Amino acid sequence: MRQGELHLQLEILAKEFRENPSDETGDRILAAMAKIIRDNEKILIDGIPSPVNPTITVPSGYYAKDGKFYFHIFSSRQSFGASSASNPMLTHMEGLMKLMEDNPQVGGFSLNQKAGSGTILLTREDIMEALHHE
């Protein structure tokens, strides 16, 4: 599958999950993410200046109820536009995974955060399990 096809598949699955959440669709989202991670594909994020060093750009996100930080990632420019994000930036998955692995306070990814509608959380544990199943 080409990069664009993987992202399109993720976009379709995320839309399907929002309309009718199910374990099966959730598993398919995780499998698609595992493929994107394994292939070190680029992913769209909301890049913001680091609060520690403003010359460095870091992914935006939010703290979930579990107290952990989730990076906002987007499967398309359209999903980015529907979010509250404002600084589109492409980054390779390898960098995001390293940030997550190096920081235990990072809980995973917030997929296609949508203004007024929330997000789809992909937890660190679910991502790691999906990576080990393929």
Side-chain angles (χ1 to χ4, degrees), residues 25-97:
T25 305
D27 290 346
R28 291 171 52 210
I29 288 171
L30 287 164
M33 275 306 305
K35 175 84 172 126
I36 288 170
I37 291 166
R38 255 197 257 23
D39 292 351
N40 193 27
E41 297 288 351
K42 288 183 179 178
I43 195 85
L44 188 59
I45 65 167
D46 182 30
I48 60 170
S50 165
V52 177
N53 182 349
T55 62
I56 296 173
T57 301
V58 296
S60 73
Y62 84 106
Y63 286 92
K65 290 179 183 178
D66 64 5
K68 297 198 177 189
F69 188 78
Y70 288 78
F71 297 134
H72 288 314
I73 62 171
F74 302 91
S75 57
S76 71
R77 182 78 169 151
Q78 180 182 6
S79 289
F80 186 92
S83 75
S84 58
S86 58
N87 303 301
M89 183 177 157
L90 281 174
T91 190
H92 285 277
M93 286 304 302
E94 182 179 287
L96 286 180
M97 291 300 293

Side-chain angles (χ1 to χ4, degrees), residues 15-30:
K15 184 177 185 296
E16 183 181 322
F17 188 82
R18 283 186 181 279
E19 292 170 359
N20 187 20
S22 72
D23 289 344
E24 180 184 328
T25 305
D27 290 346
R28 291 171 52 210
I29 288 171
L30 287 164

